[in-house]
Amino acid sequence: MNKKLLNKTTASFLLFSVLILLISVPAFYYITERLYIEETDETLSLHRDEFLKEELPKMNSNDISLWNKYNRNVQIIPSHIVTKDTIFDKIYFDELENENEPYRELNSPIEINGQPYTYVGRINLIEKEDLIVSIALLFLVVIIILLLGILLITKVLSKKLWAPFYDTLNQIQGFEIDKNNKPKFMHTDVEEFNGLNKSLDRLIEKNTDIYNNQREFVENAAHELQTPLALFQTKIDTLFQLDVTKEQSEVLSSLNKDVSRLNRLNKNLLLLSKIENENYLDKQPIVINEYLKKHLDFFTEQAKAKNLNIVIEYAEKLKIEGNPSLTEVLINNLFLNAIRHNIKNGEISIIITSESITFLNTGQETSLIVDKLFNRFSKSNPSSQGNGLGMAIIKKITEISHWKIDYAFENNLHRFTVKF
């Protein structure tokens, strides 16, 4: 699934921030703990040095029991437990708290009245752990608040910063070259966005000019072809009146078919040009049921060559607002398309509801290529006599009239539905 650029950059930043957080919090806890241990060791050493300087010179063996009684964290133990200063962690049972508590302990060998003793100094580490945990939690909260703040500010600033880009994107998505709606891009002081907008302006202007020139050429060419084609048709009709041989008659018939196809193509090109130039904007109420009933004989006559069975279901009255000429072309093209691309002894079903008309017909046994179905000069069967503009005209009529056409292939039937 596609993601927005802003979300992807924000997600990358968030991932990086979480990674840094996961690394920094344990590292901060470990460093703080080491610093506190070092500070505790220095305090134990300082207390021992003060004892050696201030208390030991004036202490004798009889004072030891009294000293131990009133100094909970500094004890004098007979004999040497250690031969040199030693600092380590040790667990003691605290009778007041009724639980085991960790201590940092310093043992040093000393002498009193020439007898060996051991100086034992200790500091409770419970406060140290509570302090470190509190600092770590405070650090974690500060980091989280900082990260959330940075992410929020980044998102707000990014939306403001990328606003010209999204404005350009929305305008490009809504741009149609055959409509007079040239995009007007937002002014921005970001060099890259300005460059993008200028490039798009040049591209749109160039392609619009090319499109207009092509449309004008097609329209002019179609108009210019009308007279030569009419003269050509007249001369062929004149030749048919002469006494010609069978071979000449076959040649004339072939020419007549080709000229008829050219005439249809020319008329369709002119029609597309007029539709694109919005020459059919007037609308009025139209009852589709009545139009079909009125012209059913014509379509039935067209279907005789293939012996097609035509069934029309007037389920409801279909009354629409549309241009009469375009609506007539739409219905004619759909009906003739169902006839032209059908098979011998095939079927055509037309279903009319209050909101849509559906043409179902037999034909080729596979689905048509939907992506190319409504393209100009696109044919599902290259050998067909059509000019490849019928479906393009249908699509254009539905677009300009704000209707919708759908195609589907179901139960070996080709279904075209126009929703009004």
Side-chain angles (χ1 to χ4, degrees):
M1 189 174 81
N2 294 332
K3 296 181 179 178
K4 287 187 176 181
L5 178 62
L6 179 58
N7 291 341
K8 292 190 75 172
T9 54
T10 303
S12 300
F13 180 77
L14 180 62
L15 182 62
F16 174 76
S17 301
V18 170
L19 183 62
I20 293 298
L21 183 64
L22 292 175
I23 294 173
S24 62
V25 170
F28 177 80
Y29 180 90
Y30 175 77
I31 293 172
T32 304
E33 183 181 36
R34 294 310 307 164
L35 290 174
Y36 194 89
I37 291 294
E38 290 178 4
E39 186 64 27
T40 302
D41 293 347
E42 288 182 5
T43 302
L44 286 172
S45 298
L46 180 61
H47 288 173
R48 183 210 53 197
D49 293 343
E50 289 179 351
F51 175 82
L52 294 178
K53 182 179 180 181
E54 302 293 336
E55 304 296 336
L56 185 60
K58 55 186 180 182
M59 182 176 286
N60 56 52
S61 302
N62 298 327
D63 298 327
I64 293 176
S65 58
L66 187 63
W67 173 273
N68 289 341
K69 181 179 180 181
Y70 291 103
N71 290 276
R72 181 183 180 190
N73 292 327
V74 177
Q75 299 288 301
I76 308 298
I77 299 175
S79 73
H80 286 165
I81 299 176
V82 292
T83 58
K84 61 180 181 178
D85 292 348
T86 305
I87 299 179
F88 52 89
D89 293 330
K90 190 172 182 180
I91 302 297
Y92 284 96
F93 180 78
D94 191 324
E95 294 181 355
L96 295 177
E97 298 290 339
N98 194 32
E99 62 181 7
N100 292 324
E101 292 186 0
Y103 282 82
R104 190 72 172 168
E105 184 172 304
L106 168 63
N107 291 348
S108 293
I110 59 174
E111 289 187 1
I112 301 176
N113 297 334
Q115 297 297 318
Y117 289 89
T118 298
Y119 170 88
V120 178
R122 63 185 182 183
I123 294 179
N124 194 323
L125 295 180
I126 291 295
E127 294 181 0
K128 181 268 301 184
E129 286 190 359
D130 292 341
L131 178 63
I132 291 176
V133 170
S134 299
I135 293 174
L137 288 176
L138 178 62
F139 176 78
L140 179 62
V141 170
V142 170
I143 289 294
I144 291 175
I145 294 174
L146 181 63
L147 290 178
L148 291 176
I150 291 174
L151 287 173
L152 182 62
I153 293 172
T154 302
K155 193 165 185 179
V156 172
L157 289 179
S158 296
K159 281 188 175 181
K160 185 177 180 181
L161 179 66
W162 284 85
F165 172 79
Y166 287 116
D167 176 74
T168 298
L169 183 62
N170 290 332
Q171 292 203 55
I172 290 297
Q173 288 175 339
F175 172 69
E176 294 180 24
I177 197 169
D178 58 338
K179 301 290 192 302
N180 189 20
N181 61 340
K182 184 179 178 181
K184 294 182 180 179
F185 299 121
M186 181 187 298
H187 176 72
T188 174
D189 56 357
V190 179
E191 183 178 347
E192 289 79 5
F193 292 158
N194 271 331
L196 173 65
N197 291 344
K198 288 178 181 178
S199 298
L200 287 172
D201 272 329
R202 289 194 298 269
L203 182 64
I204 289 171
E205 185 175 351
K206 182 177 179 180
N207 281 274
T208 301
D209 289 341
I210 292 172
Y211 173 79
N212 289 332
N213 290 336
Q214 288 178 340
R215 188 169 67 177
E216 185 178 352
F217 170 78
V218 170
E219 185 175 356
N220 292 339
H223 276 294
E224 293 297 326
L225 282 171
Q226 279 184 309
T227 301
L229 286 173
L231 292 173
F232 198 7
Q233 184 69 61
T234 302
K235 290 178 180 180
I236 291 175
D237 292 339
T238 302
L239 288 173
F240 269 120
Q241 305 303 319
L242 302 177
D243 187 13
V244 293
T245 64
K246 182 179 180 183
E247 287 126 8
Q248 289 172 334
S249 177
E250 289 176 355
V251 172
L252 287 174
S253 297
S254 177
L255 285 173
N256 191 51
K257 288 181 180 178
D258 291 337
V259 172
S260 297
R261 287 187 63 191
L262 282 173
N263 272 319
R264 290 198 304 272
L265 174 61
N266 198 56
K267 289 179 181 178
N268 285 335
L269 287 173
L270 277 173
L271 177 61
L272 273 174
S273 179
K274 289 179 180 179
I275 294 173
E276 289 172 345
N277 289 329
E278 299 182 349
N279 292 340
Y280 297 95
L281 296 178
D282 57 307
K283 294 183 179 181
Q284 64 185 56
I286 303 170
V287 180
I288 301 297
N289 309 56
E290 295 177 0
Y291 177 84
L292 279 176
K293 289 177 181 177
K294 182 178 179 181
H295 296 85
L296 183 59
D297 290 341
F298 167 76
F299 294 119
T300 303
E301 184 67 26
Q302 297 294 316
K304 274 186 179 180
K306 291 185 177 180
N307 193 31
L308 301 178
N309 180 36
I310 300 176
V311 178
I312 302 179
E313 297 181 19
Y314 299 102
E316 297 176 71
K317 184 177 180 180
L318 177 55
K319 187 176 182 179
I320 65 170
E321 286 285 331
N323 181 272
S325 299
L326 292 185
T327 305
E328 181 179 344
V329 172
L330 175 71
I331 300 300
N332 288 353
N333 279 11
L334 285 170
F335 215 140
L336 293 175
N337 179 72
I339 295 172
R340 185 178 297 117
H341 299 287
N342 217 313
I343 57 176
K344 285 204 181 239
N345 302 316
E347 296 182 355
I348 297 176
S349 297
I350 303 173
I351 303 172
I352 299 176
T353 69
S354 61
E355 296 181 347
S356 67
I357 181 170
T358 300
F359 286 79
L360 296 136
N361 65 275
T362 50
Q364 70 177 48
E365 297 179 354
T366 57
S367 174
L368 304 178
I369 303 174
V370 180
D371 294 339
K372 298 182 179 180
L373 183 58
F374 298 103
N375 293 345
R376 297 185 184 185
F377 304 108
S378 175
K379 295 183 180 181
S380 57
N381 182 5
S383 62
S384 68
Q385 296 299 310
N387 52 45
L389 288 177
M391 299 310 299
I393 291 174
I394 291 172
K395 183 67 173 178
K396 199 66 184 178
I397 292 173
T398 56
E399 286 178 353
I400 199 172
S401 303
H402 304 292
W403 301 332
K404 184 179 180 182
I405 183 165
D406 290 320
Y407 166 77
F409 183 67
E410 301 170 348
N411 300 321
N412 292 323
L413 293 175
H414 299 274
R415 177 177 62 81
F416 289 89
T417 301
V418 179
K419 297 179 181 177
F420 300 95

